[in-house]
Amino acid sequence: MLTEKKRKVPVPEIILAALVYLFHHTGLIDITIKGASPIILLPITVAVAMFYDELVGLLFGLCCGFAMDAVAASTSVFNTIAFMLIGFIAGLLAKRIFNRNLPAAIALTLISETGYFGIKWLISAIIPDVQGKVYYLLWNLTPCAVYTLIFIIPL
């Protein structure tokens, strides 16, 4: 009896993430809608963590977060740590609690986005120089989160 061997390295997903990263951050394809720009690497990280395991999700999230921090205006490592944790927690939840299907992928992406954008907003609320904290949450982070959530469906 032939059994299908599961790949340990997500090669097609790495190529997809690299292409998305290049097209999105170089400005070759502009997919912003009224200033809302999706973070497409977040659903890709959740999908990889879901369909492989938590260690692959952790490493994939680490690479995606590092790539995002490489082009960031500030010198923080927020995206590296956040994506690493998102990959690990999404892989762990997919292995222990959720099934591996589209509703679970949407739920895991929604949980990941809530944590990512919530912590991002809390950090901006702590910094005294940022004006309009509620405006930043409602008119910047919320449309970005909704727009990012849409990208889990084609994956």
Side-chain angles (χ1 to χ4, degrees):
M1 175 166 33
L2 295 174
T3 59
E4 186 177 329
K5 194 173 188 181
K6 190 174 180 182
R7 290 188 325 251
K8 293 289 183 184
V9 180
V11 176
E13 290 85 357
I14 290 172
I15 294 170
L16 175 69
L19 288 175
V20 165
Y21 174 77
L22 287 174
F23 287 141
H24 185 64
H25 287 289
T26 58
L28 291 174
I29 297 175
D30 187 24
I31 54 174
T32 58
I33 297 176
K34 292 192 175 190
S37 178
I39 300 175
I40 304 175
L41 292 178
L42 195 136
I44 295 173
T45 302
V46 170
V48 166
M50 232 179 112
F51 292 110
Y52 289 92
D53 63 351
E54 61 270 6
L55 182 62
V56 175
L58 181 133
L59 294 174
F60 192 83
L62 179 74
C63 293
C64 287
F66 183 72
M68 285 185 63
D69 281 334
V71 296
S74 64
T75 58
S76 70
V77 293
F78 172 74
N79 289 319
T80 303
I81 295 170
F83 273 71
M84 183 179 67
L85 289 174
I86 286 170
F88 180 73
I89 293 171
L92 198 63
L93 288 175
K95 189 177 190 180
R96 306 279 184 212
I97 298 173
F98 288 102
N99 293 327
R100 291 183 167 112
N101 54 20
L102 183 60
I106 292 171
L108 281 172
T109 305
L110 186 62
I111 291 168
S112 301
E113 285 182 355
T114 303
Y116 178 79
F117 288 114
I119 291 172
K120 197 170 184 177
W121 180 74
L122 284 174
I123 289 173
S124 73
I126 292 171
I127 298 172
D129 294 339
V130 176
Q131 299 295 324
K133 293 165 182 52
V134 175
Y135 178 83
Y136 181 64
L137 175 67
L138 295 178
W139 297 106
N140 190 0
L141 293 182
T142 304
C144 289
V146 171
Y147 196 20
T148 301
L149 184 64
I150 294 170
F151 281 96
I152 192 64
I153 295 171
L155 294 175

